[in-house]
Amino acid sequence: MANIKDIAKHLGVSVSTVSRAMNNHPDVREETKQQVMEAIRLYNYRPNALAKGLIQKKTFTIGLLVPDISDPFPSSLSNAVEETLFEHGYQVVFGNGNRNSDKEKQFLLNAVERQFDGLILTPDYMDEEFSELLSNLEIPIVFLRRRPPAGLSFPFVDVDHYQAAKTAMQYLLELGHRQIGFIGMPQTSFIGNERLRGYTDVMRMHGIDPGPGHMILGGRTIDNGREAMGRLLDHNPDLTAVFAANDLLGIGALEWLAMHQIAVPDKLSVMGFDNLEYAGLYWIQLTTMEQPRREMGVRAAQMLLQMIANKEQAPESDLMEAKLVIRKTCKARLTH
Amino acid sequence: MANIKDIAKHLGVSVSTVSRAMNNHPDVREETKQQVMEAIRLYNYRPNALAKGLIQKKTFTIGLLVPDISDPFPSSLSNAVEETLFEHGYQVVFGNGNRNSDKEKQFLLNAVERQFDGLILTPDYMDEEFSELLSNLEIPIVFLRRRPPAGLSFPFVDVDHYQAAKTAMQYLLELGHRQIGFIGMPQTSFIGNERLRGYTDVMRMHGIDPGPGHMILGGRTIDNGREAMGRLLDHNPDLTAVFAANDLLGIGALEWLAMHQIAVPDKLSVMGFDNLEYAGLYWIQLTTMEQPRREMGVRAAQMLLQMIANKEQAPESDLMEAKLVIRKTCKARLTH
DNA sequence: CTGAAAGCGCTTACAG
DNA sequence: CTGAAAGCGCTTACAG
């Protein structure tokens, strides 16, 4: 590959001049600039970003750590991040957390070695070591769909899961439901707990104290949802509605109900959370809470850009609102 | 950030020694090595990858261009690529082609500027300019799920779509179907045409000449499939089976059939292609051809690794076999 | 086993 | 408007 010296030599000018011409420096004769551009084309020359980054202390590279590249949820969000950052001249490097604690740490280390300009993080494991690493990082960081570990004050963007769960529950109550079951995520999940809290609080506000018979926790997948639905109805045959903490769980519930010929929404209403692609399928038509994925991604990217531009002043975290998407799995309770 | 000089100064040794100790050079006293390691920990030092890459002409970075990060199909495959490459110490940089010709080219340019060690490409647009760029690249490249543009001999890994379509058709014929319709992709799609060719050839082999009444081409999505199914049955009410060139199309067909109370597979059999997650859903249970996504990703990564290790000898392209996944949308034709 | 020096390919004051 | 020189943070012959 040709380098800047080659093209300087070719033109009989100094490398400084070539550099300035390439970078559109004002103090360079138009004619010289033209010649340089031509030589660049001729040699098929591309400036070495490593050398450039080394000296400018700026790489135009942003790291984006996602839990799992093949997970459909984060990927649409990643797209928004990537597009926003790309428009501003940054290349985003996806890190595959791979639901693996070591890989997440490895990514952080990589980011510092490679001199990334900023980081957007959706880590799954935030142990001591991770926090420790993070606190030494000296790079602008924003958390996406996660809260920073205790003691560290990085800005984040997330949905207000608690509020959203309340909205979902409110809807179910308006439809006349009182006996509402909950299919929840593992207790180790922050967002799972927020959604659970929304469920519980609304139930209590309406004078119902949801006991263990009202809920099955601990899952995330379609299989989990299917299994939970069966158990839930076993414990509590009076349920007229079920709130699933995520769509996969909700779809699993729907499966179980379909398998057992329990009509949805005539016999039982089902509410999901996320609004995955799945939810809109003809056979599913799940009523659910939609997370503003694109907006979250764009927002996180903008926040990071702002932090890079102004390292002093940290932006405010952003808690976004989820939107109720009404489809066909919830219905007013029959009053007999 | 501390640099190598800081830690050399701290220990009163030369930077050469620090460098050697870090990189496990044999000619360095064990004691020295220990001290260096300790100082590195103390300073929280991480070597600058830019400087390292600049001098070593090796960045341990691989570019992976995908058409669309949020597309579920490539992402599971990307995971396999990433994992394989990560095990060998490489970081993969995802490029979002974004179904946009300029972004794909931009990615190529970026790759050369940033001195990537290799590239795995799934481009959607391969015009003159793209080929031109490619031919100047001097970087090991493998194509994934795409064939290199005419005149360029990069190795590729893909599924043998023609063969796979024949397998699917063979299955339908074994079930007794003769009047088989085809819902196909745009004629601009290489893989779409391969699948169509498989369909047509098998039909002809069995003495049926599929006319325009047998097929609707031009779509990729669920909506397209739904619409195509209606038209197909309109033209050709005798059809007993339909082969959809991808699962989305197949699912759309299934939707239309469900909406019109046409029992699948009792009245009509439907065959898909891809085996997306969707296909296994309780309500769908689509019989389809599964592409070995993980294997393709792993294979492409291995090929690239081999090319990097040995720049002389180009590896053979790999055409993989798709596997028939029998679920519930195909059934033996009733013989009355 | 260790150090001094050159060099990777750029950018950027500084001087003219 | 242009050039010479220093320097970014490393690695690696070369010499000892």
Side-chain angles (χ1 to χ4, degrees):
Chain A
M1 267 288 299
N3 63 24
I4 196 173
K5 240 160 137 182
D6 295 326
I7 104 114
K9 201 175 298 171
H10 171 78
L11 291 172
V13 300
S14 74
V15 294
S16 331
T17 299
V18 176
S19 172
R20 281 190 277 255
M22 279 199 301
N23 295 297
N24 262 305
H25 195 91
D27 303 345
V28 54
R29 197 146 49 105
E30 192 51 42
E31 201 195 323
T32 318
K33 203 175 286 184
Q34 295 301 330
Q35 290 172 357
V36 169
M37 287 318 182
E38 201 170 312
I40 284 178
R41 203 150 306 134
L42 179 66
Y43 279 74
N44 233 297
Y45 167 72
R46 294 266 101 203
N48 184 320
L50 301 181
K52 204 167 180 165
L54 186 57
I55 201 160
Q56 294 189 142
K57 291 176 176 334
K58 169 104 188 167
T59 55
F60 284 98
T61 310
I62 303 289
L64 174 61
L65 177 68
V66 295
D68 182 350
I69 297 179
S70 58
D71 184 347
F73 187 95
S75 66
S76 79
L77 202 149
S78 300
N79 237 352
V81 170
E82 197 274 344
E83 283 167 26
T84 308
L85 258 14
F86 180 82
E87 282 167 20
H88 291 259
Y90 288 85
Q91 175 149 106
V92 358
V93 174
F94 288 78
N96 202 350
N98 228 327
R99 316 232 174 247
N100 171 156
S101 166
D102 281 341
K103 275 195 88 167
E104 294 188 344
K105 284 170 204 151
Q106 187 57 52
F107 183 73
L108 256 31
L109 260 17
N110 250 306
V112 349
E113 293 184 2
R114 290 164 185 259
Q115 318 293 120
F116 289 177
D117 295 329
L119 249 24
I120 296 181
L121 264 25
T122 308
D124 269 338
Y125 300 90
M126 299 193 276
D127 52 22
E128 281 285 315
E129 220 179 315
F130 190 81
S131 298
E132 167 79 22
L133 257 170
L134 228 42
S135 62
N136 287 320
L137 233 45
E138 306 180 359
I139 305 180
I141 296 179
V142 358
F143 277 72
L144 182 53
R145 293 172 58 231
R146 296 287 184 277
R147 309 305 162 89
L152 298 178
S153 64
F154 299 105
F156 61 86
V157 1
D158 197 359
V159 149
D160 189 337
H161 300 284
Y162 173 65
Q163 214 32 267
K166 282 175 69 174
T167 304
M169 286 299 291
Q170 219 71 59
Y171 176 68
L172 254 17
L173 282 155
E174 274 162 27
L175 290 179
H177 297 284
R178 289 300 173 272
Q179 290 300 317
I180 305 172
F182 185 77
I183 299 180
M185 298 157 75
Q187 308 248 113
T188 50
S189 159
F190 174 80
I191 66 170
N193 284 329
E194 287 290 292
R195 294 175 191 177
L196 172 57
R197 203 159 60 81
Y199 163 77
T200 316
D201 284 4
V202 173
M203 287 292 267
R204 292 221 177 100
M205 275 164 52
H206 287 259
I208 316 153
D209 197 30
H214 277 85
M215 49 181 99
I216 307 277
L217 307 180
R220 295 180 184 276
T221 64
I222 293 182
D223 287 350
N224 296 149
R226 191 173 42 230
E227 200 255 350
M229 188 67 248
R231 284 206 287 145
L232 202 52
L233 237 32
D234 231 34
H235 295 171
N236 206 330
D238 297 337
L239 259 26
T240 65
V242 168
F243 179 19
N246 75 27
D247 280 358
L248 259 17
L249 255 12
I251 290 169
L254 254 17
E255 275 194 15
W256 191 90
L257 294 166
M259 288 163 64
H260 292 78
Q261 265 90 263
I262 296 176
V264 174
D266 293 338
K267 281 286 189 190
L268 200 82
S269 288
V270 175
M271 163 74 71
F273 199 117
D274 282 343
N275 199 24
L276 300 184
E277 308 301 324
Y278 284 133
L281 282 175
Y282 175 75
W283 301 269
I284 295 185
Q285 296 292 332
L286 181 63
T287 293
T288 189
M289 296 302 299
E290 172 169 285
Q291 298 199 48
R293 299 193 245 174
R294 270 210 77 75
E295 292 74 6
M296 288 167 74
V298 170
R299 192 72 198 89
Q302 288 171 338
M303 266 164 69
L304 192 64
L305 252 15
Q306 184 198 325
M307 290 172 79
I308 290 171
N310 176 358
K311 301 221 182 196
E312 311 310 318
Q313 191 188 329
E316 289 289 310
S317 293
D318 208 337
L319 223 39
M320 305 190 124
E321 209 172 307
K323 199 180 80 202
L324 178 63
V325 175
I326 297 178
R327 278 193 281 247
K328 301 190 174 156
T329 56
C330 294
K331 186 180 169 179
R333 187 184 62 128
L334 299 123
T335 40
H336 6 227
Chain B
M1 268 288 301
N3 63 24
I4 196 172
K5 240 160 137 182
D6 296 324
I7 105 113
K9 202 175 298 170
H10 171 78
L11 291 173
V13 299
S14 72
V15 295
S16 332
T17 299
V18 175
S19 172
R20 280 190 278 252
M22 281 198 301
N23 295 297
N24 263 305
H25 196 91
D27 301 347
V28 54
R29 202 147 44 107
E30 192 52 41
E31 202 194 324
T32 317
K33 201 175 290 185
Q34 294 303 329
Q35 291 172 357
V36 169
M37 286 319 181
E38 201 169 313
I40 284 179
R41 203 151 304 136
L42 179 66
Y43 279 73
N44 232 299
Y45 167 72
R46 293 266 103 202
N48 184 320
L50 302 180
K52 204 166 177 163
L54 186 56
I55 199 159
Q56 293 188 143
K57 293 178 173 335
K58 168 103 187 168
T59 55
F60 284 98
T61 309
I62 302 290
L64 174 60
L65 177 68
V66 295
D68 183 350
I69 295 179
S70 59
D71 184 348
F73 186 95
S75 65
S76 78
L77 203 149
S78 299
N79 237 352
V81 170
E82 198 273 345
E83 283 167 28
T84 308
L85 257 14
F86 180 83
E87 281 167 22
H88 291 260
Y90 289 85
Q91 175 147 105
V92 357
V93 174
F94 288 78
N96 201 352
N98 228 329
R99 316 232 173 245
N100 170 157
S101 166
D102 281 341
K103 276 196 84 168
E104 294 187 344
K105 282 169 203 149
Q106 187 56 52
F107 182 75
L108 255 31
L109 259 17
N110 250 306
V112 350
E113 292 183 3
R114 290 162 185 261
Q115 319 292 125
F116 289 177
D117 295 330
L119 248 24
I120 296 181
L121 264 26
T122 309
D124 268 339
Y125 300 90
M126 297 191 280
D127 53 21
E128 282 285 316
E129 221 180 315
F130 190 83
S131 296
E132 167 78 22
L133 258 170
L134 228 45
S135 62
N136 287 320
L137 234 44
E138 305 181 1
I139 303 179
I141 295 179
V142 358
F143 277 72
L144 182 52
R145 294 171 57 229
R146 295 289 183 276
R147 309 304 162 91
L152 298 178
S153 64
F154 299 105
F156 61 86
V157 2
D158 196 0
V159 149
D160 189 336
H161 300 283
Y162 173 66
Q163 211 34 264
K166 284 175 69 172
T167 303
M169 287 297 292
Q170 218 71 60
Y171 176 67
L172 254 18
L173 282 155
E174 274 164 27
L175 290 179
H177 297 283
R178 290 297 174 274
Q179 290 300 316
I180 305 172
F182 185 76
I183 299 180
M185 298 157 76
Q187 308 245 127
T188 51
S189 160
F190 174 80
I191 67 171
N193 284 329
E194 287 290 291
R195 293 176 191 177
L196 171 58
R197 202 159 59 83
Y199 163 77
T200 318
D201 283 5
V202 172
M203 289 292 268
R204 293 220 178 100
M205 275 163 51
H206 287 259
I208 316 154
D209 198 26
H214 277 86
M215 49 181 100
I216 307 276
L217 307 181
R220 294 178 185 279
T221 66
I222 291 181
D223 287 350
N224 295 149
R226 192 174 41 231
E227 201 255 350
M229 188 68 247
R231 285 206 285 144
L232 202 53
L233 236 35
D234 231 35
H235 295 172
N236 207 331
D238 296 338
L239 257 26
T240 64
V242 168
F243 178 20
N246 75 26
D247 280 358
L248 259 19
L249 256 12
I251 290 168
L254 254 17
E255 275 194 16
W256 192 92
L257 294 166
M259 287 162 63
H260 291 79
Q261 264 89 264
I262 297 177
V264 174
D266 293 338
K267 281 285 189 192
L268 200 83
S269 288
V270 176
M271 163 73 70
F273 200 116
D274 280 345
N275 199 23
L276 301 183
E277 307 301 325
Y278 284 132
L281 282 175
Y282 175 75
W283 301 270
I284 295 184
Q285 296 292 332
L286 181 63
T287 293
T288 189
M289 296 302 299
E290 171 170 286
Q291 297 200 46
R293 300 195 243 170
R294 270 209 76 75
E295 291 73 8
M296 287 166 75
V298 170
R299 193 72 198 88
Q302 288 171 339
M303 265 163 70
L304 192 64
L305 253 13
Q306 184 197 328
M307 288 171 81
I308 290 171
N310 177 358
K311 302 221 181 193
E312 311 311 318
Q313 191 187 328
E316 288 291 310
S317 293
D318 208 334
L319 223 38
M320 304 189 123
E321 209 172 308
K323 199 180 79 199
L324 177 63
V325 175
I326 298 178
R327 279 194 278 248
K328 300 189 176 159
T329 56
C330 293
K331 185 178 168 180
R333 187 182 64 128
L334 299 122
T335 41
H336 7 229

